[in-house]
Amino acid sequence: MISFTVMAITFGVLFLAELPDKTALAGLMLGTRYRASYVFAGVAAAFAVHVALAIAAGSVLTLLPHRLVQAVVGLLFLAGALMLLLKKDDDDEETIKAPADQSFWKVSGAGFMLILVAEFGDLTQIMTANLAARYDNPVSVGIGAVLALWAVAGIGIVGGRTLMKYVPLKLITRVGACLMLALAGFSLFEAIAG
């Protein structure tokens, strides 16, 4: 059964966690060099693969005792919040090897491979697995996660520079960290009280 609440929570947490990430910058860089729709197709496919892997991992966690899962999820959310809060601001731009031509397959393939490698084991993939275990609703978490990651990719590819002029990256990072702290506290409370 699809839960719009779970989808919205997943979307919000992952959107804020991914927005200041290096892949948004990579999408921005690819989007300024190549046709945006080609870049988005590759990036979107890579994010879908990552969400599927994270949902599978999170679904395995639901087989464990509920209190243990809540404690682990709470600790992982806490770790994610600390990673966001303690993350040093890097001004170094990643170098992206340009595809030899501008065909759909070359450009989307470059975007796919870049995201597939850069996002493997990333904070948002871990958070997706946590949310899948936390809510035991893989479809809702999967939809929310894919939409959040696609939204960030779209913003990065099309309008990242404009957004960053109006919304400071530090603010986005802090809001995302606060959401994760709240989820960590709620999960840990459930594990202790449960």
Side-chain angles (χ1 to χ4, degrees), residues 15-53:
F15 182 85
L16 290 170
E18 186 66 22
L19 201 56
D21 197 45
K22 63 189 174 296
T23 51
L25 177 62
L28 170 67
M29 291 171 59
L30 283 171
T32 60
R33 295 180 188 176
Y34 307 108
R35 186 179 227 169
S37 60
Y38 292 3
V39 174
F40 184 78
V43 169
F47 275 133
V49 169
H50 277 289
V51 167
L53 292 172

Side-chain angles (χ1 to χ4, degrees), residues 140-159:
S140 299
V141 171
I143 292 170
V146 165
L147 292 176
L149 296 172
W150 287 358
V152 171
I155 289 169
I157 291 166
V158 176

Side-chain angles (χ1 to χ4, degrees), residues 5 16 30 46 60-62 84 101-102 107 129 136 152 167-168:
T5 303
L16 290 170
L30 283 171
V60 169
L61 289 176
T62 62
L84 281 177
D101 63 49
Q102 298 277 327
V107 174
D136 196 17
V152 171
V167 182

Side-chain angles (χ1 to χ4, degrees), residues 94-143:
E94 294 184 20
T95 57
I96 299 170
K97 187 176 180 185
D101 63 49
Q102 298 277 327
S103 73
F104 172 79
W105 294 110
K106 294 283 185 179
V107 174
S108 63
F112 179 84
M113 290 308 295
L114 176 71
I115 298 303
L116 193 67
V117 171
E119 286 292 303
F120 199 78
D122 194 55
L123 175 64
T124 52
Q125 192 175 32
I126 294 167
M127 291 298 110
T128 302
N130 287 344
L131 289 163
R134 165 89 176 86
Y135 291 109
D136 196 17
N137 190 332
V139 173
S140 299
V141 171
I143 292 170

Side-chain angles (χ1 to χ4, degrees), residues 70 74 134-135 180-192:
Q70 291 303 90
R134 165 89 176 86
Y135 291 109
M180 284 187 208
L181 282 173
L183 286 169
F186 188 70
S187 294
L188 291 171
F189 174 78
E190 278 193 344
I192 294 168

